[in-house]
Amino acid sequence: MTTLVWDYRQEYEAERDDILEAVDQVFRSGRLVLGECVRQFEEEYAWYHGARHCVSCDNGTNAIVLALRALGIGRGDEVITVSNTAAPTVVAIDQIGARPVFVDIHEDTYLMDTSQVADAITDRTRCLLPVHLYGQCVDMASLRGIAAEHGLPILEDCAQSHGARHHGELAGTMGSAAAFSFYPTKVLGAYGDGGAVITSDDNVAADLRRLRYYGMRERYHVVATPGHNSRLDEVQAEILRRKLTRMDRYIAARRAVARRYADGLGDTGLVLPEIAPGNDHVYYLYVVRHPWRDEILNRLREYDIELNVSYRWPVHTMSGFAHLGYPHDSLPVTEAMADQIFSLPMYPSLSPGVQDKVINAVREVLAGL
């Protein structure tokens, strides 16, 4: 059987009764869209973060789109972010007509190098968008200082960092608003798509609720600018409600998997994840690095181990974003890391036996290089 970088089936077997009960509860309720389950999930997810509001939506990409629009970002504005991210981060910026402006990353953590942000600010900059990548947070202390100096909002991309902390503060609570994805692979994952924005700004929350529902404040009446049809359905909301009570357990299991990798691979030539100062890593992905990455991946297939690269192509190098005009070597660290990084299997239900298979195979491949 092929070993995959992520597999939900063992977790599903353990939680099957609860998941099916959630589905049956919704189907029997008589309300399938924007009902009590959505309301309760939003309330509980906001409470988990100590935020005033959570506004759910249909996916993480639209969470960023809605949040940017609610923060007043639009056509011609510039948003500073990174190219070492999943493409949806930048797709969302592009979708509202704004221009993404990229800064480079740290070689050790692959996170935004906040020392480059101030020099990237222009008179068209309207937002800073840090990506809390792979399960740990950007240096928010320095970024908040820059934002305060220039009067800019911060939108945190927390798609990969549910439950992560930076100097004790939860990811998503250190800016003006934060966007989350509940895609199935996430630390808190649905059984389909889903997303949300949290904020403690009442006006931003009101705009988010309007924008996710066509722009309506009341049924059938669009006010101000038109919005989107971007709603989390009741089934996913109820599943997420139940899984939220187990999220800290999922994080503990991910950290145990990470420790096992560190013990099993720490004496090899593989560069293992480094935790930035003040961070509590939740290991959404376990990203390692080696200069012979592609050879390693090819050889691991002989062991029936199929791994991912997150991300092989930095966004600024993609043909779909050629219009941004970033030349080769414009983000040297991002580009260099993209040639070396890859992800080992990481999910809470990863068994010690399967993980040992991966560790032993990686050790054998490295020894044979």
Side-chain angles (χ1 to χ4, degrees), residues 309-325:
V309 178
S310 300
Y311 300 94
R312 186 181 293 272
W313 300 281
V315 176
H316 74 284
T317 69
M318 297 178 183
S319 58
F321 291 100
H323 62 281
L324 297 177

Side-chain angles (χ1 to χ4, degrees), residues 61-306:
T61 308
N62 280 338
I64 299 174
V65 169
L66 294 170
L68 287 169
R69 291 193 63 188
L71 290 170
I73 316 304
R75 187 163 301 280
D77 294 336
E78 293 180 351
V79 177
I80 297 176
T81 189
V82 291
S83 183
N84 177 39
T85 182
T89 305
V90 185
V91 168
I93 297 170
D94 186 76
Q95 187 172 324
I96 65 166
R99 176 182 172 82
V101 174
F102 300 119
V103 296
D104 217 338
I105 60 173
H106 291 290
E107 182 175 340
D108 52 356
T109 63
Y110 319 118
L111 296 168
M112 173 186 276
D113 183 349
T114 57
S115 70
Q116 299 186 18
V117 171
D119 288 341
I121 293 174
T122 72
D123 58 3
R124 301 180 75 173
T125 304
R126 295 293 180 270
C127 184
L128 308 181
L129 204 167
V131 180
H132 299 317
L133 200 69
Y134 303 148
Q136 66 172 328
C137 297
V138 169
D139 177 6
M140 292 299 291
S142 65
L143 195 65
R144 283 191 285 190
I146 295 167
E149 180 180 349
H150 294 271
L152 297 170
I154 295 175
L155 171 60
E156 298 174 71
D157 182 343
C158 298
Q160 302 188 11
S161 59
H162 307 71
R165 291 181 181 270
H166 181 62
H167 294 292
E169 295 184 86
L170 274 168
T173 65
M174 296 175 280
S176 305
F180 291 82
S181 168
F182 303 121
Y183 186 75
T185 61
K186 305 303 184 184
V187 175
L188 180 63
Y191 278 73
D193 263 319
V197 181
I198 62 171
T199 183
S200 291
D201 187 309
D202 295 346
N203 293 326
V204 170
D207 279 343
L208 286 166
R209 295 189 188 282
R210 177 180 62 80
L211 288 167
R212 74 160 174 198
Y213 192 52
Y214 307 107
M216 297 178 183
R217 283 206 184 100
E218 55 185 310
R219 199 173 185 185
Y220 303 136
H221 185 208
V222 174
V223 299
T225 54
H228 307 260
N229 176 10
S230 181
R231 299 168 295 196
L232 182 68
D233 72 74
E234 285 285 286
V235 170
Q236 300 302 340
E238 182 58 26
I239 291 172
L240 287 167
R241 277 192 68 227
R242 293 165 184 245
K243 292 189 73 175
L244 179 59
T245 66
R246 300 188 284 270
M247 189 167 78
D248 290 344
R249 191 191 317 163
Y250 299 150
I251 292 171
R254 287 175 179 273
R255 288 173 174 156
V257 170
R259 287 193 296 271
R260 192 176 181 87
Y261 277 135
D263 290 342
L265 296 170
D267 61 346
T268 67
L270 212 57
V271 178
L272 304 184
E274 183 167 328
I275 302 175
N279 275 351
D280 293 326
H281 207 310
V282 296
Y283 296 100
Y284 167 62
L285 296 177
Y286 194 86
V287 176
V288 298
R289 186 169 89 240
H290 196 282
W292 292 1
R293 186 265 313 281
D294 291 342
E295 178 68 17
I296 293 169
L297 295 184
N298 287 333
R299 293 194 185 186
L300 285 173
R301 292 188 183 99
E302 298 171 9
Y303 294 80
D304 284 331
I305 297 172
E306 191 71 34

Side-chain angles (χ1 to χ4, degrees), residues 6 11 187 249-251 253-254 257 346-351:
W6 176 79
E11 180 181 293
V187 175
R249 191 191 317 163
Y250 299 150
I251 292 171
R254 287 175 179 273
V257 170
M346 171 56 75
Y347 47 94
S349 59
L350 180 64
S351 70

